[in-house]
């Protein structure tokens, strides 16, 4: 009886062990599956993160290169803006100078008419001709009073002069600096001459032309265009400008310099019968040079060639 019970117990125990082993194997397999699933999921996340990091690195490089290009472009824009501002300033300087010339022309006309009426009936106590020269003046170069006063003095003229402007260079240069004589200052100077009774002159010389009173005018292209309101783009345009100046009552018109030539030639045009002189003069030398002596003035060397045009 006892042995039977023992055998039954052992049989049951063996069956339980089989069931437990089966369950253990199932648990191990389930754990392995879960572990593999977790590893696979983690590997996918890591791979995606790696891909995302590569994309971020590529985008960062593109952004950095774009920032560098934008910085270069910004520097170029700033340079362009600075150059444009500088050009506007220079244009403004020239426009202010042109407006000042127009104002000067009006005050000069009024003043010279008064002086002409005052001196018309007078006779000079001396045989020495006396000139009042009202022109511009430059520090460098020879234009306006800088080129006119000394030769006249060498030739025996007594010269009084008023500088309408005091510029560093003439206006063909890129940068123009200096001061412009204001209308009220011009009036004060002329009034001072009249009050001291030293306002008698046999000749008036002015580059800031008082056209209705002038027998001869010698404007450059810029001044001629300003006086007539016409543009001088070619020879035909230049002749139209000359005709307009003749129509104002001027007998002789000399366009002292124009932009119609090239880098080796300067063209000027004269009309009371039109003469077109040309000379081989470098651009930076398009201005008068200092005359060294009286002989050079009285017997100048001819360095231009003139042709008659119809």
């Amino acid at each position: 009886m006892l042995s039977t019970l023992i055998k039954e117990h052992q049989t049951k125990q063996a069956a339980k062990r089989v069931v437990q082993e089966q369950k253990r194997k199932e648990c191990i397999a389930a754990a392995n599956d879960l572990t593999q699933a977790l590893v696979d999921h983690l590997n996918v996340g890591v791979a995606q993160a790696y891909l995302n990091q590569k994309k971020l690195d590529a985008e960062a490089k593109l952004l950095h290169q774009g920032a560098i290009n934008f910085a270069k472009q910004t520097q170029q824009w700033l340079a362009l803006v600075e150059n444009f501002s500088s050009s506007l300033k220079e244009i403004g300087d020239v426009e202010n100078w042109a407006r000042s010339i127009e104002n000067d022309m009006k005050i000069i006309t009024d003043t010279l008419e008064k002086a002409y009426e005052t001196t018309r009936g007078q006779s000079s106590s001396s045989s020495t001709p006396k000139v009042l020269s009202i022109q511009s003046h430059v520090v460098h170069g020879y234009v306006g009073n800088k080129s006119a006063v000394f030769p006249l003095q060498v030739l025996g003229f007594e010269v009084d002069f008023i500088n309408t402007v005091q510029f560093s260079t003439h206006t063909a240069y890129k940068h123009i600096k200096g001061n412009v004589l204001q209308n009220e200052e011009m009036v004060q100077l002329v009034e001072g001459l009249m009050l001291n009774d030293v306002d008698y002159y046999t000749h008036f010389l002015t580059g800031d032309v008082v056209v209705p009173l002038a027998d001869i005018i010698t404007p450059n292209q810029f001044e001629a265009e300003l006086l007539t309101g016409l543009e001088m783009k070619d020879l035909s345009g230049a002749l139209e400008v000359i005709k307009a100046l003749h129509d104002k009552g001027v007998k002789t018109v000399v366009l002292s310099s124009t932009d119609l030539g090239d880098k080796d030639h300067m063209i000027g045009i004269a009309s009371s019968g039109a003469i077109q002189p040309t000379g081989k003069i470098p651009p930076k030398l398009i201005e008068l040079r200092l005359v060294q002596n009286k002989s050079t003035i009285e017997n100048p060397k001819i360095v231009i060639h003139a042709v008659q045009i119809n």
Side-chain angles (χ1 to χ4, degrees):
M1 181 68 178
L2 179 60
S3 60
T4 301
L5 291 175
I6 291 173
K7 287 181 179 180
E8 288 177 357
H9 176 73
Q10 289 176 344
T11 300
K12 290 179 179 179
Q13 290 297 320
K16 287 182 179 180
R17 284 196 295 271
V18 170
V19 172
Q20 288 176 349
E21 182 65 23
Q22 182 65 32
K23 289 182 178 180
R24 185 181 69 81
K25 290 180 178 179
E26 290 177 355
C27 287
I28 291 172
N32 289 334
D33 291 341
L34 178 60
T35 301
Q36 186 63 44
L38 291 175
V39 170
D40 291 343
H41 180 73
L42 182 61
N43 287 338
V44 170
V46 170
Q48 188 62 44
Y50 176 74
L51 292 176
N52 290 340
Q53 183 63 42
K54 288 185 66 176
K55 290 181 180 179
L56 287 175
D57 290 342
E59 292 294 335
K61 289 180 179 178
L62 290 175
L63 182 62
H64 179 67
Q65 186 61 45
I68 293 175
N69 293 337
F70 181 74
K72 291 180 179 178
Q73 187 67 50
T74 301
Q75 291 299 322
Q76 294 175 353
W77 289 341
L78 291 174
L80 288 174
V81 169
E82 184 177 354
N83 291 336
F84 182 68
S85 299
S86 178
S87 298
L88 285 180
K89 184 178 183 299
E90 292 172 7
I91 292 173
D93 290 341
V94 174
E95 289 178 343
N96 290 334
W97 177 72
R99 284 195 294 269
S100 70
I101 287 182
E102 290 178 328
N103 292 333
D104 283 346
M105 287 169 59
K106 183 178 183 303
I107 190 64
I108 291 171
T109 300
D110 295 340
T111 303
L112 293 184
E113 285 179 347
K114 291 179 182 178
Y116 175 74
E117 292 297 328
T118 301
T119 62
R120 182 171 56 179
Q122 298 179 1
S123 60
S124 174
S125 59
S126 170
S127 60
T128 302
K130 188 173 182 180
V131 178
L132 175 61
S133 179
I134 303 177
Q135 301 191 72
S136 61
H137 186 273
V138 293
V139 176
H140 172 79
Y142 294 93
V143 295
N145 278 333
K146 184 76 174 289
S147 63
V149 173
F150 176 68
L152 288 171
Q153 291 172 331
V154 170
L155 290 173
F157 287 83
E158 184 178 349
V159 184
D160 289 346
F161 58 91
I162 298 175
N163 296 329
T164 56
V165 301
Q166 174 76 11
F167 285 162
S168 55
T169 59
H170 64 66
T171 56
Y173 283 84
K174 183 178 180 181
H175 301 287
I176 307 167
K177 300 296 181 180
N179 301 310
V180 177
L181 185 69
Q182 301 301 312
N183 293 345
E184 56 272 16
E185 295 171 333
M186 171 73 78
V187 171
Q188 291 173 3
L189 292 174
V190 175
E191 284 181 351
L193 295 173
M194 297 175 69
L195 290 173
N196 289 294
D197 198 24
V198 291
D199 58 326
Y200 172 74
Y201 300 99
T202 60
H203 300 81
F204 288 117
L205 177 62
T206 175
D208 305 293
V209 183
V210 186
V211 175
L213 301 179
D215 296 316
I216 301 174
I217 61 173
T218 59
N220 59 30
Q221 178 172 339
F222 174 79
E223 293 166 336
E225 289 176 338
L226 180 64
L227 288 169
T228 61
L230 301 174
E231 290 188 3
M232 192 186 307
K233 296 182 178 179
D234 50 28
L235 180 59
S236 297
L239 297 179
E240 288 295 324
V241 168
I242 289 176
K243 182 180 182 300
L245 293 171
H246 280 314
D247 291 342
K248 292 179 181 290
V250 183
K251 183 182 299 183
T252 301
V253 178
V254 179
L255 300 181
S256 57
S257 63
T258 69
D259 294 332
L260 303 181
D262 53 36
K263 66 179 182 178
D264 296 319
H265 296 80
M266 180 181 71
I267 294 179
I269 304 174
S271 175
S272 53
I275 301 296
Q276 180 182 351
T278 62
K280 295 184 178 180
I281 303 176
K284 66 181 181 180
L285 297 182
I286 301 179
E287 58 188 17
L288 297 178
R289 292 303 177 193
L290 181 62
V291 178
Q292 298 297 325
N293 53 59
K294 183 176 180 180
S295 175
T296 303
I297 297 173
E298 294 176 336
N299 300 292
K301 180 181 178 181
I302 305 300
V303 292
I304 64 172
H305 304 283
V307 296
Q308 184 171 348
I309 59 176
N310 297 322

